[in-house]
Amino acid sequence: MRVFDFLRDENSRNEWYILSNDGVVQEMAHIANGRDTGNCVSLLRVNSANSSQTNMLILQYSCTDPTASFVIYATVNIVAMNVVLNGGDPDYVALLPSGFAILPDGSSGSTGSGMADAGGSSGGSLLTVAFQILVDSIPTAKLSLGSVATVNNLIACTVERIKVSLSCENA
């Protein structure tokens, strides 16, 4: 649960989300999806610390149960989201979802949600990271080595930030 709560919480997002550029993340809307408070859809706004950058919105879906937890998100164009929020057609909003799957690592005491068992011991988590990134708006464009290196660096930096923030010594 510690990993799930860390990744879904807007207050800790700038600790791992490189594209927030140290901006303040604020939850604008929260729609519950079941009894667990972690199961929800949220609309987040990133107010950039750099005033020359435009602010962005993030549509986030998070869910947890005893077998796994997921945090899925996509940046959304502010103008497009305002159109949808005012009753417009949602088909015109381009979404490239990225996110995390959090599974128990199978060690002793681990429950599906990563919570401690009745004996008080807690297991670890297996974190899967997935990114969808538009590197070229031309569908037939070839993937460049520079693009691959950039995405590889983004993944490596994100994983490292998560490990440091959660003080993961065995990761």
Side-chain angles (χ1 to χ4, degrees), residues 2-23 25 44 46 56 58-62 70-75 98-102 127-131 153-166:
R2 188 173 137 222
V3 176
F4 175 68
D5 288 338
F6 172 76
L7 292 172
R8 73 180 183 87
D9 184 11
E10 74 272 12
N11 295 313
S12 60
R13 189 175 206 99
N14 63 4
E15 291 181 44
W16 62 265
Y17 189 55
I18 295 167
L19 300 179
S20 70
N21 293 317
D22 294 326
V25 181
L44 309 172
V46 180
M56 71 172 147
I58 300 168
L59 186 61
Q60 177 175 287
Y61 169 74
S62 59
F70 301 93
V71 178
I72 313 298
Y73 63 91
T75 56
S98 297
F100 306 95
I102 307 153
L127 179 65
T128 302
V129 180
F131 287 117
N153 187 47
L154 176 65
I155 293 169
C157 288
T158 300
V159 169
E160 186 60 29
R161 283 179 165 209
I162 292 168
K163 285 168 41 176
V164 167
S165 294
L166 294 173

Side-chain angles (χ1 to χ4, degrees), residues 82-90:
N82 281 332
V83 168
V84 171
L85 292 174
N86 289 317
D89 188 354

Side-chain angles (χ1 to χ4, degrees), residues 20-26 45-50 54-56:
S20 70
N21 293 317
D22 294 326
V24 176
V25 181
Q26 175 185 15
R45 182 182 189 110
V46 180
N47 296 310
S48 177
N50 180 351
T54 58
N55 295 333
M56 71 172 147

Side-chain angles (χ1 to χ4, degrees), residues 70-146:
F70 301 93
V71 178
I72 313 298
Y73 63 91
T75 56
V76 183
N77 178 287
I78 291 176
V79 174
M81 184 53 79
N82 281 332
V83 168
V84 171
L85 292 174
N86 289 317
D89 188 354
D91 289 340
Y92 292 106
V93 178
L95 293 177
L96 288 173
S98 297
F100 306 95
I102 307 153
L103 302 162
D105 72 353
S107 63
S108 176
S110 181
T111 64
S113 62
M115 296 175 64
D117 66 10
S121 63
S122 65
S125 297
L126 174 65
L127 179 65
T128 302
V129 180
F131 287 117
Q132 285 192 76
I133 300 168
L134 184 64
V135 292
D136 197 319
S137 59
I138 301 170
T140 58
K142 300 268 187 213
L143 203 55
S144 72
L145 286 177

Side-chain angles (χ1 to χ4, degrees), residues 23-63:
V24 176
V25 181
Q26 175 185 15
E27 186 175 59
M28 296 176 56
H30 179 98
I31 302 166
N33 186 15
R35 286 188 276 213
D36 191 300
T37 58
N39 294 343
C40 64
V41 175
S42 300
L43 184 61
L44 309 172
R45 182 182 189 110
V46 180
N47 296 310
S48 177
N50 180 351
S51 60
S52 68
Q53 282 190 305
T54 58
N55 295 333
M56 71 172 147
L57 295 178
I58 300 168
L59 186 61
Q60 177 175 287
Y61 169 74
S62 59
C63 66

